[in-house]
């Protein structure tokens, strides 16, 4: 198929852009998230090869990705924020769209918006769509308490389709009550379960995490937009030091997403008809032949805590829709907030850590930077540029949100082709039919450890979190250790805890787990019997 044979409603990516600044850069500007997103949009408009002003005027839909400070009801914004992020950015670049969207929280957002708005364009309900995001976390952290801090507050009028936080099912009260509130401890449950499934020692698994991410650091070191452009060895990534402290076992700081970034990215979509009308050269067009969006069960409902099957299904389906296989891909970018987010897809697709194509085009979230929910916008921008440089090739972007929960995948190529609907709704119905594991909210009795982590606080304090199964009926529970229980902490920090027999008891303050019933009585002496 040639460009002339295409349905005029066929969606194409015609422009991508990125922006960034580091605190120690010459000419550092203290840019806000809006400023960084707008700079990326200007780059995307120029990237079309058409008149940027004419393209901006033609934009009928804008969609913004949430910043950290707008991703939950309690998130602070010490320097202020825009009341209408999408329209703040649009106003800066001369766009006045009829529709403005603020997407839900989650790293799947950029790819999901590309998938969704491409389908909207294909259906004739949109002509030119601009998607963007920006984070100024480094600047916010630096100046939050400074007397000369900038004011990022903006009040912008205009309609806004605010889709809400989208946090339902991400963190339950039960999880929060037992310390499962941060992404490192939640994701650590997956990686520790995977290590046990692979029957690897702690040392073997740590070496594998290092080998997985060491090539990412090389890519980041060569990326001008990277927040941490330093090449590191596999051993350096996983060896605990004062600088590379343990956060939640098995994670050191170097193998988790780096949130201190100042980065923005943008993607411009339009119909083939609009591209021709606005004079966008065909050598700028990149198609989306494959796409999928799926959501897994809530964390404690899943039968297997060592994998995320819905994420793998999403990538496989995107490839199926595109009509290509893993071997046909020239580039791959897998969301890399934690090692399991990458290894889960690798396990499902048969990829290895040393794949010569690499598993990132940016450098990944720990090294390029975890630009909040917007990381994958940068991956899309890099992928589009590489597809233009290799006409006919295919590139994959996998975008993850939640706890291996929400996954959006996209396949990109310059090969002309009409819009192909996906079957995500059918696959989602299948996922939704999977039985949920029965849970014990107030567990009591002997149990077996299913997975775990140990959280390390600054200063050296630590506590353990256990997900286990009751011996009596197999129900799953979550519990935490008592801070003073050195024996239980030692059990979780040495050897193989998974499969070990432990004792759990419920209290008004939550569920506690230790090495046995006698030890539980020592930690929580039963009240005296008044009749004795």
């Amino acid at each position: 198929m040639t460009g002339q044979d295409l349905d005029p409603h066929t969606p194409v990516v015609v422009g991508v852009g990125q922006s960034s600044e580091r605190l120690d850069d010459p000419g550092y500007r203290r840019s806000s998230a809006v400023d960084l997103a707008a700079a990326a949009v200007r780059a995307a408009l120029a990237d079309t090869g058409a008149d940027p002003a004419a393209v901006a005027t033609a934009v009928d839909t804008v969609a913004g990705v949430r910043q950290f400070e707008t991703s939950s009801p309690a998130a602070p914004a010490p320097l202020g924020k825009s009341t209408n992020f999408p329209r703040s950015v649009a106003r800066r670049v001369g766009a006045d769209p009829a529709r403005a969207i603020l997407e839900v929280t989650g790293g799947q957002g950029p790819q999901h918006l590309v998938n969704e708005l491409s389908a909207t364009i294909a259906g004739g309900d949109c002509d030119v769509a601009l998607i963007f995001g920006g984070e100024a976390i480094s600047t916010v952290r630096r100046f939050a308490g400074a007397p000369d801090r900038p004011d990022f507050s903006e009040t912008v009028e205009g309609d806004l389709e605010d889709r809400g936080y989208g946090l339902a099912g991400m963190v339950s009260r039960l999880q929060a009550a037992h310390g499962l509130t941060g992404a490192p401890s939640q994701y650590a449950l997956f990686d520790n379960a995977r290590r046990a499934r692979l029957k690897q020692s702690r040392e073997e698994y740590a070496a594998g995490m290092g080998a997985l991410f060491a090539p990412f650091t090389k890519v980041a070191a060569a990326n001008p937009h990277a927040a941490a452009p330093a090449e590191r060895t596999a051993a350096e990534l996983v060896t605990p030091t004062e600088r590379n402290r343990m956060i939640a076992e098995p994670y050191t700081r170097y193998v988790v997403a780096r949130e201190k970034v100042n980065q923005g990215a943008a993607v411009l979509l339009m119909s083939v008809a609009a591209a021709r009308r606005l004079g966008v050269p065909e050598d700028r067009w990149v198609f989306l032949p494959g796409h999928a969006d799926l959501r897994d069960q809530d964390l404690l409902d899943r039968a297997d805590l060592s994998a995320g099957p819905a994420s793998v299904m999403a990538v496989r389906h995107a490839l199926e829709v595109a009509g290509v296989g893993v071997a046909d891909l020239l580039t791959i970018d897998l969301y890399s907030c934690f090692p399991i987010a990458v290894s889960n897809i690798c396990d499902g697709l048969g990829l290895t850590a040393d794949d010569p194509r690499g598993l990132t085009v940016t450098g990944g979230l720990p090294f390029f930077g975890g630009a909040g929910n917007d990381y994958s916008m940068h991956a899309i921008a890099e992928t589009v540029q590489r597809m233009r440089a290799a006409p006919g090739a295919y590139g994959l972007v996998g975008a993850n949100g939640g706890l291996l929960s929400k996954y959006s995948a996209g396949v990109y190529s310059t090969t002309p082709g009409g819009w192909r609907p996906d079957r995500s709704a059918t696959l989602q119905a299948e996922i939704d039919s999977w039985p949920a594991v029965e849970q014990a909210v107030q567990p009591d009795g002997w149990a077996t450890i299913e997975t775990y982590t140990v959280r390390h606080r600054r200063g050296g304090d630590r506590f353990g979190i256990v997900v286990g199964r009751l011996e009596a009926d197999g129900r799953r529970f979550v519990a935490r250790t008592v801070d003073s229980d050195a024996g239980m902490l030692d059990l979780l920090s040495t050897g193989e805890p998974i499969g070990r027999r432990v004792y759990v008891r419920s209290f008004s303050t939550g569920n506690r787990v230790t090495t046995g019933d006698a030890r539980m009585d020592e930690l929580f002496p039963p009240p005296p019997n008044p009749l004795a």
Side-chain angles (χ1 to χ4, degrees):
M1 178 180 288
T2 67
Q4 297 303 315
D5 300 324
L6 291 168
D7 183 315
H9 291 305
T10 301
V12 285
V13 178
V14 297
V16 293
Q18 299 182 73
S19 66
S20 62
E21 63 175 3
R22 292 188 286 264
L23 298 177
D24 56 356
D25 282 348
Y28 164 66
R29 302 176 302 280
R30 304 199 306 179
S31 300
S32 68
V34 172
D35 294 331
L36 289 160
V41 169
R42 293 187 192 99
L45 293 170
D47 185 53
T48 65
D51 178 6
V55 175
T57 301
V59 171
D60 57 56
T61 302
V62 292
V65 173
R66 288 182 183 273
Q67 292 81 50
F68 272 150
E69 60 195 19
T70 60
S71 290
S72 68
L79 302 186
K81 59 188 177 183
S82 171
T83 60
N84 191 328
F85 173 67
R87 291 197 181 276
S88 284
V89 177
R91 177 175 294 185
R92 275 169 168 72
V93 301
D96 186 20
R99 183 186 184 195
I101 301 166
L102 186 61
E103 177 64 327
V104 299
T105 300
Q108 80 291 337
Q111 185 59 56
H112 170 73
L113 286 169
V114 170
N115 294 351
E116 176 191 344
L117 292 176
S118 291
T120 304
I121 290 171
D125 296 321
C126 174
D127 209 26
V128 181
L130 184 58
I131 309 169
F132 47 76
E135 286 283 5
I137 303 169
S138 288
T139 292
V140 171
R141 298 273 177 89
R142 168 67 66 87
F143 291 99
D148 62 338
R149 60 184 179 273
D151 183 2
F152 292 162
S153 302
E154 294 185 26
T155 299
V156 179
E157 301 299 327
D159 293 341
L160 177 63
E161 185 182 316
D162 188 337
R163 295 179 168 179
Y165 300 112
L167 298 177
M170 294 298 106
V171 180
S172 67
R173 290 184 179 180
L174 179 67
Q175 292 167 233
H178 295 91
L180 279 175
T181 54
S185 57
Q186 294 163 327
Y187 273 86
L189 300 178
F190 293 117
D191 259 309
N192 282 324
R194 179 175 180 267
R195 178 187 56 73
R197 172 168 58 83
L198 297 177
K199 302 188 185 307
Q200 292 184 356
S201 68
R202 293 171 185 264
E203 295 74 19
E204 289 171 331
Y205 199 76
M209 293 191 299
L212 178 70
F213 273 168
F216 284 53
T217 71
K218 187 173 183 178
V219 177
N223 189 332
H225 294 293
E231 189 170 350
R232 299 188 186 277
T233 66
E236 189 178 1
L237 293 177
V238 296
T239 301
T241 63
E242 184 176 349
R243 184 173 177 80
N244 188 33
R245 69 183 184 89
M246 188 66 73
I247 295 176
E249 297 178 18
Y251 300 144
T252 56
R253 186 174 72 85
Y254 285 165
V255 298
V256 305
R258 179 188 179 92
E259 81 281 5
K260 292 181 181 178
V261 303
N262 294 322
Q263 295 170 332
V267 174
L268 183 64
L269 296 165
M270 60 179 64
S271 66
V272 163
R276 289 181 177 139
R277 184 179 72 249
L278 292 166
V280 179
E282 288 193 25
D283 63 6
R284 313 310 291 161
W285 299 5
V286 175
F287 297 82
L288 187 71
H291 39 88
D293 302 273
L294 293 175
R295 177 170 180 148
D296 214 320
Q297 296 168 290
D298 293 349
L299 173 64
L300 296 179
D301 289 342
R302 303 177 198 179
D304 182 0
L305 293 178
S306 73
S311 302
V312 176
M313 287 174 66
V315 176
R316 284 178 173 166
H317 186 50
L319 293 171
E320 177 190 6
V321 174
V324 298
V326 175
D328 299 312
L329 298 171
L330 176 68
T331 66
I332 301 168
D333 192 275
L334 300 179
Y335 202 90
S336 51
C337 50
F338 300 93
I340 187 66
V342 179
S343 57
N344 176 57
I345 304 299
C346 289
D347 291 348
L349 300 185
L351 293 166
T352 60
D354 60 354
D355 190 294
R357 295 167 294 187
L359 301 174
T360 181
V361 294
T362 65
L365 282 88
F367 318 110
F368 168 81
N373 303 310
D374 197 48
Y375 164 77
S376 286
M377 198 84 74
H378 295 272
I380 294 167
E382 292 282 352
T383 299
V384 166
Q385 297 286 20
R386 296 192 188 202
M387 293 304 97
R388 288 172 177 164
Y394 290 86
L396 169 69
V397 173
N400 167 74
L403 311 175
L404 300 184
S405 305
K406 300 178 278 189
Y407 211 89
S408 295
V411 178
Y412 295 83
S413 180
T414 60
T415 302
W419 176 250
R420 304 170 185 174
D422 61 59
R423 295 186 301 105
S424 292
T426 300
L427 294 175
Q428 189 63 56
E430 176 185 336
I431 294 168
D432 294 344
S433 72
W434 294 345
V437 173
E438 187 177 358
Q439 296 178 38
V441 176
Q442 295 178 308
D444 291 282
W446 287 99
T448 301
I449 296 176
E450 189 175 6
T451 189
Y452 70 97
T453 189
V454 176
R455 285 183 56 174
H456 292 246
R457 303 184 180 105
R458 291 185 183 275
D461 292 342
R462 59 191 181 129
F463 68 92
I465 303 168
V466 167
V467 175
R469 298 290 189 113
L470 291 171
E471 285 187 359
D473 56 18
R475 287 183 299 160
R476 176 181 281 159
F477 66 88
V478 60
R480 59 168 289 176
T481 63
V482 177
D483 289 359
S484 60
D485 191 0
M488 186 63 195
L489 285 169
D490 287 345
L491 185 153
L492 294 178
S493 297
T494 57
E496 179 54 271
I498 293 178
R500 291 286 296 272
R501 197 170 188 238
V502 291
Y503 195 84
V504 63
R505 185 175 290 169
S506 60
F507 299 90
S508 60
T509 54
N511 306 325
R512 298 295 179 262
V513 63
T514 189
T515 50
D517 54 353
R519 178 58 176 155
M520 186 69 77
D521 289 341
E522 290 177 10
L523 292 168
F524 299 95
N529 186 347
L531 301 179

